[in-house]
Amino acid sequence: MSDGAVPTLPHGPKGMGGTPIALRNDCPQPGGSSFLEMWGQLRPIGRHRASGGYRRFAWTDADAECRAWFEAQARGRGLAYEVDRNGNQWAWLGDPARGDAVVTGSHLDSVPDGGAFDGPLGVVSAFAALDELLRRDVRFAKPLGIVNFGDEEGARFGLACVGSRLTAGALTVEQAHRLTDADGITLPQAMEAAGYDPGSLGADPGRLDRIGAFVELHVEQGRALDLSGDRVGIASAIWPHGRWRFDFRGEANHAGTTRLADRRDPMPAYAETVLAARREAELAGAVATFGKIAVEPNGVNAIPSLVRGWLDSRATDQERLDAVVGGVERAAREYAAAHGVDLNVERESFTPVVEFDHALRDELARILGSDTDLKVPVLGTGAGHDAGILSGRVPTAMLFVRNPTGVSHSPAEFATEDDCVAGVLALADVLEGLACT
Ligand SMILES: [Zn+2]
């Protein structure tokens, strides 16, 4: 925490239309120092001692601690606190029933051994940005909401963005009920064990209708800002992305006695396909990854009968993605034929491009661009977010904060204190521009 002096406000904080709001924190800290204090509070929750990474999985004890922290932040500021029918947490300044609300926030859960920033940076920055606005003594013309979406990473039940998908109607109750973790515990059972009512799960169109704009701040999961030398960026789009399963089937045989000429070995065909994926991605300016593999019978001295590899590919647009995946599949068929093995390719999941609302994006650029010290590039991302799920229903935008290594979903994920504070101030400027008179 910074030991900088906390300025005293000349007046109490103002609510909507100038109506004073009863806030308990009548001497708000500047956004930067309240950020550091909150960051320190969250830091130990769900951190694994050996790996140094976070294990904040949905509806576990670590998740409950994060949720308790969120509730305390809301109540500590005198905000109206509520949990919606899908377990997402909300904190409100002003009455959301008035509509056209401006909402910001992100998620507090993590991937296995994830970093500290993916998700929590957006939630902590949201509260810190509100503190900054109260310090500026702004007048709110619209209700302001802060949200923590549940189970964004999908680490426990295998599906990402469960909280926002349910709310947006992009996941049905029946599908949600079928989600099961590695121990055979279903999502409703896990929610119930954590003290939530799974009977209320379902689409929440009325809640979304009251939101005029949703802005999610997130640590960048790449190096675009580091390379351009900027602290903060605005998202243009989430790239189209998908997963494809490649099954190479050959013939198991003895590794010592089978002549090379007699083999039907799927492994070399798979290996050449991995290299083809790299080549195609480079050609298209996209990314392609074989990150998971299953081998049968998986014996050191056995030629495999099956090599199953999963391709994850993402590109700036559909045409490029089609070119990469089509190119990889063509190459795989060639290599499979050359090695006498069969190939089957299945698309397991696919998400089309998400273009963030152009008018809101331009508004953010205008607000942030008026500060001549801050150059704010607009960039795409290959990672999925709650903002992407909501974008079909609500005008949505994202702010990215520089990540000097680009590493994410790892304990090495990082953003400097100065950049985090720059993110808080940028978010405060955006919220002031959107919600205040
Ligand atoms: Zn995230």
Side-chain angles (χ1 to χ4, degrees):
M1 186 187 167
S2 155
D3 58 359
V6 177
T8 314
L9 287 176
H11 324 286
K14 301 291 190 294
M16 290 170 51
T19 315
I21 297 271
L23 284 158
R24 288 175 205 154
N25 189 357
D26 57 6
C27 182
Q29 296 173 298
S33 56
S34 76
F35 175 89
L36 296 173
E37 184 179 347
M38 287 186 279
W39 197 249
Q41 293 163 351
L42 269 182
R43 184 180 290 274
I45 302 175
R47 190 172 197 182
H48 191 255
R49 207 176 276 251
S51 71
Y54 288 89
R55 299 182 180 182
R56 296 167 173 164
F57 309 141
W59 313 117
T60 60
D61 289 348
D63 191 42
E65 269 190 77
C66 290
R67 289 169 167 273
W69 174 87
F70 183 98
E71 182 176 354
Q73 294 306 313
R75 296 199 190 282
R77 288 170 174 78
L79 304 173
Y81 170 76
E82 60 174 336
V83 178
D84 71 18
R85 57 188 303 181
N86 298 309
N88 305 307
Q89 296 177 293
W90 300 78
W92 289 104
L93 177 69
D95 182 1
R98 292 179 61 162
D100 202 21
V102 175
V103 176
T104 185
S106 190
H107 62 94
L108 293 174
D109 69 319
S110 78
V111 297
D113 288 332
F117 295 82
D118 180 351
L121 185 65
V123 179
V124 173
S125 296
F127 283 112
L130 174 60
D131 293 342
E132 172 67 18
L133 292 182
L134 297 174
R135 191 188 67 84
R136 292 179 190 176
D137 197 24
V138 299
R139 285 170 184 271
F140 289 92
K142 297 176 181 177
L144 181 74
I146 296 175
V147 62
N148 168 33
F149 281 112
D151 200 3
E152 194 273 349
E153 297 288 7
R156 183 168 177 188
F157 297 100
L159 179 70
C161 302
V162 169
S164 56
R165 276 185 207 272
L166 276 164
T167 300
L171 176 70
T172 66
V173 180
E174 295 70 33
Q175 289 168 327
H177 279 206
R178 282 200 295 272
L179 293 173
T180 306
D181 73 7
D183 297 325
I185 298 167
T186 65
L187 173 66
Q189 288 167 340
M191 282 185 79
E192 207 161 0
Y196 292 81
D197 175 17
S200 64
L201 289 178
D204 206 346
R207 175 172 295 276
L208 296 181
D209 287 345
R210 300 185 306 197
I211 301 174
F214 174 63
V215 180
E216 179 173 0
L217 179 147
H218 204 279
V219 69
E220 195 197 351
Q221 295 169 295
R223 289 190 59 220
L225 291 173
D226 185 56
L227 293 171
S228 68
D230 299 297
R231 294 177 185 281
V232 177
I234 299 172
S236 56
I238 297 177
W239 295 2
H241 55 277
R243 293 174 184 182
W244 290 262
R245 197 185 73 230
F246 285 61
D247 288 350
F248 295 87
R249 287 182 192 279
E251 187 179 43
N253 212 330
H254 196 292
T257 60
T258 316
R259 294 187 327 142
L260 293 180
D262 295 337
R263 297 182 181 204
R264 291 179 56 223
D265 185 351
M267 188 60 87
Y270 169 73
E272 286 172 300
T273 302
V274 174
L275 299 177
R278 171 79 187 205
R279 210 164 49 236
E280 292 292 338
E282 273 173 5
L283 272 174
V287 288
T289 309
F290 277 98
K292 180 175 167 181
I293 181 173
V295 180
E296 292 177 12
N298 209 20
V300 175
N301 57 357
I303 297 164
S305 57
L306 169 74
V307 174
R308 175 171 286 160
W310 281 264
L311 172 69
D312 175 308
S313 188
R314 308 167 190 227
T316 51
D317 55 71
Q318 188 64 52
E319 211 174 310
R320 280 169 204 256
L321 184 59
D322 290 345
V324 172
V325 177
V328 176
E329 187 172 340
R330 266 194 309 281
R333 294 209 179 281
E334 216 173 276
Y335 301 136
H339 290 278
V341 304
D342 299 325
L343 172 67
N344 186 49
V345 180
E346 289 281 343
R347 190 176 84 178
E348 288 196 336
S349 70
F350 178 70
T351 308
V353 67
V354 172
E355 280 275 346
F356 288 113
D357 187 89
H358 287 196
L360 184 59
R361 189 182 77 194
D362 292 350
E363 179 70 359
L364 261 60
R366 189 192 62 73
I367 292 168
L368 296 176
S370 61
D371 177 350
T372 47
D373 290 343
L374 199 61
K375 188 162 67 69
V376 187
V378 176
L379 39 119
T381 174
H385 299 284
D386 292 313
I389 303 296
L390 292 200
S391 67
R393 287 282 282 104
V394 173
T396 297
M398 289 190 76
L399 289 175
F400 292 125
V401 171
R402 176 164 58 185
N403 174 347
T405 63
V407 172
S408 186
H409 287 186
S410 146
E413 188 179 82
F414 181 65
T416 67
E417 204 172 288
D418 284 354
D419 287 357
C420 291
V421 171
V424 168
L425 297 179
L427 182 62
D429 289 348
V430 163
L431 297 177
E432 183 175 355
L434 296 176
C436 300
T437 52

